[in-house]
Amino acid sequence: MKKTHIAIIIFIAIAIGAIMVTINDASTYVGFNQALEQKGTKYTVIGYLDTDAPMDYDARANRFTFTAIDKEGEKQKVFYNQPKPQDFERSEEITMKGFATDSAFVAEEILMKCPSKYNEQNELAGYDTYQE
Amino acid sequence: MEYVGEHILPGEIGRLSVSLAFAAALVAIIGYYLFEKTQNSNYRKLARSAFAAHSVGVFGIVLSLFYLLLNHYFEYDYVFKHSSLDLETRFVFSAFWEGQEGSFILWLFWHAVLGLILMFTAKKWESYAMMVFSAVQAFLASMVLGIYPLGLKIGSSPFILMRETEDNLGLPWTQFADYLDRFPYFMDGSGLNPLLQNYWMTIHPPTLFLGFASTLVPFALAMAALFKGDLKSWVKPTIPWAFFSVGILGLGILMGGAWAYEALSFGGFWAWDPVENSSLVPWITMAGAAHLLIVFRNKRTGLAAAFFMSILTFILILYSTFLTRSGVLGDSSVHAFVDLGLSGQLLIYLLFFTLISLGLFLYRYKQMKTPDDGDDLSSREFWMFIASLVLLISAFQIIFSTSIPVINKLIGPEGLIPILEDAMAPPLDAIKHYNSWQLPFAIIIALLMAIGQFLKYGKTSLKFFWRGIAVGFASSLVVTALFAQLYDFWRDPLYLSLLFAAVFASVSNLWFWLKKGKGKLSFAGSSVAHMGFALILLGALISNARKDIISQSQVSLGEDFPSNENALMELGDTVPMGQYQAVFEGMEVEKDKQFYQVSYFKDQNDDSPEFTLRPFLQMSEQMGPNPNPDTKHFWDRDIYTHITYSSDLEAPSPEGYKNEAEIKFNTGDTALYRNHFVILDSLEYRSPGGLTETAQLMLNRGESASYKDYQISLDSVSVNARMDEETKALRAAKITANLQVLAPNGKVQIVRPAFIIDDQTKEYRDTLLEEYNLALRFEDVETSSKKIILKVSTQLEEFKNSQQTVLAANIRVVNVMGNEFSIQPAIINEEDFTEYRDTSLEAAGLKFRFEDVDAETGDIVLKAWTKKDEDEKPFIVQKAIIFPMINILWIGSILMVIGSFIAVWQRLKA
């Protein structure tokens, strides 16, 4: 067998390894309930901001507290150990990576999806005021 | 309808140019095809003219769009969305390619330029290569066609008027011929994203897109070779293009990193974001392809691999385009494009070229067999082949992990073939995930880059090998030890290995250039590029692995929480920040930017600071405040700082208070604010005249109902009508309820509330039982049941003459000790004037305002604040990171790009 063939076989083995490890490394999107069942285990939860609940950033403790509602409709208090992300109120969707504790879900990383300005077309002036 | 004030002509020219570009590309394909079939040179003439016409079309598109942007024709959707009147002219370029359509056009433009060059230089490859080019261009031009045949959307045009967009079509305002004058909305555009208003946005996208475009040339040449079945001679003319691509795409990617580092607050130059990854991966495979082409050119071996990598690179470019523009990455990337509804079209584009190219490759595969002599372990080509394989695995690993959202779309729970039970999410710690794979790959690549320099094509004698490598190896060990000592790498074997490999690679390539290339510039290409790449690895390793977040605050939040990486700085206070004492000196506003001046002192007693940084927040209506870092550059390290929060951003609170919070709740609900339970017990309402506790009673004749301790019964209802003397028409009627009120002491009183109606007004004649403080109003008669509606209220003596309407909330506040405080914040209305009666709990330092009642839910809206300390000052929260030796990274970047271009020049001469 040629040595290049051996190299290619090794290559394929590593590629398969990469797939397996990635699938292993990949977390899953879950709801708060599942995160609460396994406290301390890291999960990614997608939800949106509960605008009815108070939102609070304590600059001295550097802790941002808010309430999120996940896709199953479950409400959960969330701690975020970072300053309040800019424009947080306007977010449509929040992706939270973190773990559940007894008192709250602790988000270590937050990604927000904001309504892009492309969606604001419908608010064209005159649409509401001028109707025939 | 004739619309007034629109500038139709430039848009028409733009649309016409798109059509021309699209149609001419198709003609070029047919022309070249016929030429190959018949060898009639008239067909080639036709094809060439068609591609020239196509290029004219593309330049026409570019010019029209610039014309629209420069003239602020906001009736055009693209101009409106991406620019505004106050946009500086130098940012018009940024506005041009901010949107998807604009960046497609940029891509088209570079393809047209490269295509023209190729047309004149490709010689025998021209027909097929230009067919591929034209096909790619036809697909790209279709992305900006913006037509809707048979209800399908093909492309999205930047030359569409706002009133013609899908969202606006048929809206009332489009019915006004003079809508541009009538609605002030159209006076100004919504503007360019402030994050993109810097020079990086001007130079990064065109460079990156030139990089993307450049990958098409090796692809087109490889395809031409496959079509013709002439599998070998394409390699030589392809090599300079491949190195050009490596250089320019690399430059584009590195510019992106530099932009992220200089002007965005991601906290570094690389974050393994899907969008970053999808441009890195084709670069890696292009680097592999370029080396495989060299191997074949020198040793006539590994042809299939060279074909495969050249083709794969362009396919990966298409795949990246699909990833970043189809909306697939929505959940996992911070800066992917939004979906324009073109994902289907993008997918067809991707599949078309993938199937054709891989199909052809397999069809010709048998003919690509090359002699087996490239298999000697001591030959340079063997290890170059291995290095290319490693590059391929590295690319594969990155693209696989980046594709998790695509995998979800395919086999996730809501995908095409639902195999997975849960949707896969990208790795929780993306940086760790990618690093754990890419670090070992980088070590191997760097080692191969080093050892390869001591090997010859064919066979290398051991004596030659060892004599060369000994010096390089030894000197690298010394340099590695030095760095390891300085930056404490002894305990991390993986980091230490990469450190050594990177140093070894730079030293070896320097050796190779001096020894074998005699230091001549014309021999420098590979050595300089390799050295540059090795230095990038070295700089990235040291600056990332030994980055030091010096803005650690003292606050501890428990064991499980990540350490706090943001420092709070009050105005004028000295805060330790690494080896410095930092002072927040003040804030200055310049236009839409708030600059925060932070001085760094070596010693607290120093009079003048060592240096001062001014990170700023860019305020914008669309995007909110955006932090922009400021970095102090030293030769051996950078101090990178950005504002993560500022007290200026807090919602305006009443004098002396802060931490505004809004509580929405209903009677009986409890909320939590600053360690206090806030319980809403009840609501009180008082209308003018001091009436309160109003109840509504409904009575039929002879019935009675109770209000508090009183029994109220209806004896009869009498109607008094007044007729018009002449017409006998009813002019007014007085309707009176004859009521008995029975008090608890057995006393009965007769009252007669009434109302008078005429055709316009309704007037109440209320009665007041002063003895009981009871007010009665005969509200109405219910038409169906003939019941009378009676409103009974208690009158509060002291507010008898008040004209106020008061809505008050009875709230209990309970602190952690269990102490209860009752408060009654209220909203007071008097003649259209609203006043808040706030209540504060001095001891707890809390203040409450009854803000509003939610009309939908009936919830009350309460605002709460905490008291500010008397001596509380404005503050900022700042993150500061030291990146050691990051300059090695930048020097490496520059060297790598220069080296790649020297290589292009070298190969063009050869």
Side-chain angles (χ1 to χ4, degrees), chain B residues 290-332:
Chain B
H291 286 84
L292 287 169
L293 289 168
I294 295 255
V295 167
F296 181 76
R297 171 122 174 77
N298 286 330
K299 285 311 291 179
R300 302 271 135 190
T301 180
L303 184 59
F307 265 112
F308 181 72
M309 287 284 248
S310 306
I311 291 171
L312 180 70
T313 302
F314 183 69
I315 294 177
L316 282 168
I317 291 278
L318 295 183
Y319 181 63
S320 302
T321 309
F322 174 73
L323 275 184
T324 48
R325 288 166 188 260
S326 65
V328 168
L329 295 179
D331 287 337
S332 55

Side-chain angles (χ1 to χ4, degrees), chain B residues 367-384:
Chain B
Q367 298 162 283
M368 292 177 196
K369 278 270 178 352
T370 46
D372 286 347
D373 54 5
D375 216 358
D376 195 302
L377 279 183
S378 71
S379 72
R380 181 182 268 219
E381 60 269 23
F382 177 76
W383 292 107
M384 278 171 84

Side-chain angles (χ1 to χ4, degrees), chain A residues 2-3 7 11 22 25 27-29 42 56 59-60 62 81 83 86-87 90 93 106 111 117 121 124 127, chain B residues 81 167 173 185 191 331 334 372 375 393 401 423 425 428 433 555 557 562 564 570 621-623 625 674:
Chain A
K2 277 174 58 174
K3 295 189 191 77
F11 161 77
T22 304
D25 257 22
S27 49
T28 48
Y29 292 113
K42 288 184 184 173
D56 179 38
R60 246 150 260 275
N62 190 29
N81 189 24
Q86 317 290 355
D87 251 359
R90 291 174 52 171
E93 197 177 273
V106 179
L111 266 179
K117 48 185 181 171
Q121 286 178 346
L124 273 178
Y127 176 45
Chain B
K81 280 176 187 163
D167 294 337
W173 63 263
Y185 187 77
D331 287 337
V334 285
D372 286 347
D375 216 358
I393 309 179
S401 292
L428 277 166
H433 168 80
V555 187
L557 288 150
N564 198 336
E570 286 186 334
E621 276 174 39
Q622 308 162 24
M623 306 287 293
R674 301 265 153 190

Side-chain angles (χ1 to χ4, degrees), chain B residues 147-264:
Chain B
I147 54 168
Y148 297 81
L150 307 169
L152 283 171
K153 180 180 183 182
I154 297 189
S156 170
S157 170
F159 299 112
I160 198 163
L161 293 170
M162 257 219 275
R163 61 176 166 82
E164 298 170 329
T165 61
E166 276 170 89
D167 294 337
N168 295 337
L169 215 57
L171 287 188
W173 63 263
T174 61
Q175 308 303 317
F176 291 95
D178 59 342
Y179 73 98
L180 284 175
D181 292 328
R182 188 183 273 248
F183 306 117
Y185 187 77
F186 295 97
M187 296 292 291
D188 198 357
S190 61
L192 180 66
N193 181 341
L195 269 182
L196 305 179
Q197 291 185 26
N198 62 51
Y199 61 95
W200 286 110
M201 182 63 188
T202 318
I203 56 171
H204 165 65
T207 314
L208 191 66
F209 275 97
L210 178 56
F212 285 171
S214 66
T215 62
L216 177 56
V217 185
F219 175 78
L221 290 168
M223 290 291 285
L226 290 175
F227 273 121
K228 275 175 100 93
D230 178 354
L231 298 179
K232 290 180 179 164
S233 54
W234 69 285
V235 170
K236 188 176 175 240
T238 305
I239 289 175
W241 284 107
F243 279 107
F244 172 71
S245 189
V246 170
I248 200 79
L249 185 55
L251 180 64
I253 295 168
L254 290 164
M255 275 182 176
W259 176 13
Y261 182 71
E262 280 295 319
L264 305 175

Side-chain angles (χ1 to χ4, degrees), chain A residues 1-5 7-12 14-23 25-30 34 40-44 46 51-63 71 77 79 81-84 86-87 90 93 95-99 101 103 106-127 129-132, chain B residues 77 81-82 98-99 162 165 167-168 171-173 175-176 182-183 185-186 190-193 330-334 338 372 374-377 382 385-386 389 392-393 396-397 400-401 404 408 422-428 433 437 441 555 557 560-566 568 570 617 621-627 643-645 649 658-664 672 674 872 875 877 879:
Chain A
M1 206 154 75
K2 277 174 58 174
K3 295 189 191 77
T4 40
H5 290 163
I8 290 172
I9 290 168
I10 295 174
F11 161 77
I12 293 169
I14 296 177
I16 293 170
I19 295 175
M20 304 307 283
V21 172
T22 304
I23 290 172
D25 257 22
S27 49
T28 48
Y29 292 113
V30 300
Q34 197 174 330
T41 311
K42 288 184 184 173
Y43 289 104
T44 309
I46 298 184
T51 44
D52 291 343
M55 211 171 26
D56 179 38
Y57 172 58
D58 184 345
R60 246 150 260 275
N62 190 29
R63 187 176 67 194
K71 287 189 167 167
K77 187 170 172 185
F79 286 157
N81 189 24
Q82 298 275 337
K84 187 178 104 177
Q86 317 290 355
D87 251 359
R90 291 174 52 171
E93 197 177 273
T95 306
M96 292 156 283
K97 294 181 180 179
F99 54 91
T101 64
S103 43
V106 179
E108 292 177 334
E109 203 185 323
I110 284 184
L111 266 179
M112 293 184 306
K113 206 194 242 174
C114 281
S116 71
K117 48 185 181 171
Y118 305 102
N119 299 341
E120 286 168 22
Q121 286 178 346
N122 294 327
E123 294 165 24
L124 273 178
Y127 176 45
T129 36
Y130 289 87
Q131 301 238 330
E132 284 187 323
Chain B
D77 195 50
K81 280 176 187 163
H82 301 289
E98 189 202 9
M162 257 219 275
T165 61
D167 294 337
N168 295 337
L171 287 188
W173 63 263
Q175 308 303 317
F176 291 95
R182 188 183 273 248
F183 306 117
Y185 187 77
F186 295 97
S190 61
L192 180 66
N193 181 341
D331 287 337
S332 55
S333 171
V334 285
V338 287
D372 286 347
D375 216 358
D376 195 302
L377 279 183
F382 177 76
F385 180 76
I386 297 294
L389 264 188
L392 187 60
I393 309 179
F396 174 79
Q397 190 275 326
F400 183 80
S401 292
I404 285 177
N408 270 336
D422 294 320
M424 262 165 79
L428 277 166
H433 168 80
W437 282 96
F441 292 146
V555 187
L557 288 150
D560 279 348
F561 291 130
S563 64
N564 198 336
E565 298 172 345
N566 294 273
L568 181 116
E570 286 186 334
L617 295 175
E621 276 174 39
Q622 308 162 24
M623 306 287 293
N626 267 306
I643 303 290
T644 50
Y645 193 78
L649 297 177
K658 58 169 187 176
N659 294 331
E660 176 167 303
E662 205 177 79
I663 305 170
K664 272 187 183 175
L672 194 63
R674 301 265 153 190
E872 194 165 291
F875 65 86
V877 178
K879 190 164 185 172

Side-chain angles (χ1 to χ4, degrees), chain B residues 533-763:
Chain B
F533 185 71
L535 290 180
I536 290 177
L537 292 180
L538 187 66
L541 170 70
I542 298 175
S543 67
N544 255 315
R546 289 297 168 257
K547 80 172 178 192
D548 186 11
I549 298 169
I550 54 174
S551 52
Q552 306 277 359
S553 89
Q554 315 302 320
V555 187
S556 147
L557 288 150
E559 291 166 43
D560 279 348
F561 291 130
S563 64
N564 198 336
E565 298 172 345
N566 294 273
L568 181 116
M569 307 175 75
E570 286 186 334
L571 186 69
D573 280 5
T574 306
V575 177
M577 190 105 18
Q579 61 177 121
Y580 299 101
Q581 302 292 330
V583 181
F584 166 36
E585 307 262 27
M587 194 260 281
E588 291 159 31
V589 180
E590 282 172 27
K591 278 208 222 155
D592 56 347
K593 293 171 182 167
Q594 295 181 355
F595 286 89
Y596 294 87
Q597 186 168 322
V598 181
S599 295
Y600 297 80
F601 295 83
K602 263 251 154 70
D603 189 288
Q604 219 162 345
N605 304 320
D606 284 356
D607 290 333
S608 59
E610 186 85 357
F611 58 92
T612 298
L613 291 176
R614 295 172 81 226
F616 65 87
L617 295 175
Q618 182 155 17
M619 316 301 285
S620 88
E621 276 174 39
Q622 308 162 24
M623 306 287 293
N626 267 306
N628 206 309
D630 195 15
T631 304
K632 175 71 188 172
H633 302 280
F634 292 99
W635 72 270
D636 63 339
R637 67 189 194 283
D638 275 8
I639 295 163
Y640 167 100
T641 69
H642 69 264
I643 303 290
T644 50
Y645 193 78
S646 147
S647 54
D648 297 317
L649 297 177
E650 287 180 7
S653 299
E655 190 70 25
Y657 286 87
K658 58 169 187 176
N659 294 331
E660 176 167 303
E662 205 177 79
I663 305 170
K664 272 187 183 175
F665 57 176
N666 222 318
T667 318
D669 290 349
T670 303
L672 194 63
Y673 176 70
R674 301 265 153 190
N675 298 326
H676 288 73
F677 290 111
V678 182
I679 306 150
L680 177 60
D681 282 331
S682 60
L683 290 176
E684 275 181 32
Y685 183 78
R686 200 183 83 212
S687 37
L691 301 183
T692 185
E693 294 176 58
T694 304
Q696 181 171 303
L697 307 179
M698 293 182 68
L699 296 171
N700 241 327
R701 197 175 304 170
E703 283 182 352
S704 63
S706 57
Y707 172 78
K708 289 189 168 173
D709 296 336
Y710 306 97
Q711 282 288 330
I712 300 168
S713 49
L714 177 65
D715 277 351
S716 64
V717 179
S718 49
V719 180
N720 238 330
R722 194 141 48 100
M723 307 289 200
D724 192 289
E725 298 280 317
E726 285 163 27
T727 61
K728 301 288 178 204
L730 187 72
R731 281 185 63 190
K734 180 180 181 191
I735 304 168
T736 314
N738 302 308
L739 301 166
Q740 288 189 28
V741 178
L742 173 66
N745 58 9
K747 192 174 164 190
V748 175
Q749 298 222 24
I750 309 274
V751 286
R752 294 194 172 84
F755 63 89
I756 299 166
I757 44 169
D758 56 30
D759 33 348
Q760 266 132 39
T761 58
K762 186 171 183 181
E763 191 190 320

